[in-house]
Amino acid sequence: MFGRLFNHQGKHYRILREIPFINFDKHGMEKIKAWRDFLGADHVLKSRTHYMFCETIQEAEYPSPT
């Protein structure tokens, strides 16, 4: 099913999960990478209070008419 969609600098992302900053006090970067890999996210964005683990939505490509 679709999660929330988010537009950041002209790219579209599907938010897989949001986790508050407070959960990453110690060993923050290692935990962020571990969550990213666990969720299958390919991008991590930040809101004011949360990390957003996202999947990039690729642009649709249409075949050229022959």
Side-chain angles (χ1 to χ4, degrees), residues 6-13 45 56-59:
F6 187 75
N7 182 357
H8 178 67
Q9 296 182 348
K11 291 188 178 183
H12 295 83
Y13 300 94
L45 298 171
T56 304
I57 298 173
Q58 301 299 323
E59 294 278 332

Side-chain angles (χ1 to χ4, degrees), residues 10-57:
K11 291 188 178 183
H12 295 83
Y13 300 94
R14 181 170 67 108
I15 300 173
L16 302 173
R17 185 148 184 188
E18 293 183 79
I19 302 176
F21 293 150
I22 196 164
N23 292 355
F24 296 99
D25 283 344
K26 292 185 180 181
H27 311 290
M29 190 55 69
E30 292 84 18
K31 285 186 178 180
I32 292 168
K33 288 178 183 179
W35 270 102
R36 180 198 63 200
D37 295 343
F38 174 73
L39 294 170
D42 61 5
H43 204 78
V44 180
L45 298 171
K46 289 173 30 176
S47 70
R48 291 183 193 168
T49 59
H50 290 73
Y51 287 106
M52 298 182 290
F53 296 86
C54 305
E55 175 181 62
T56 304
I57 298 173

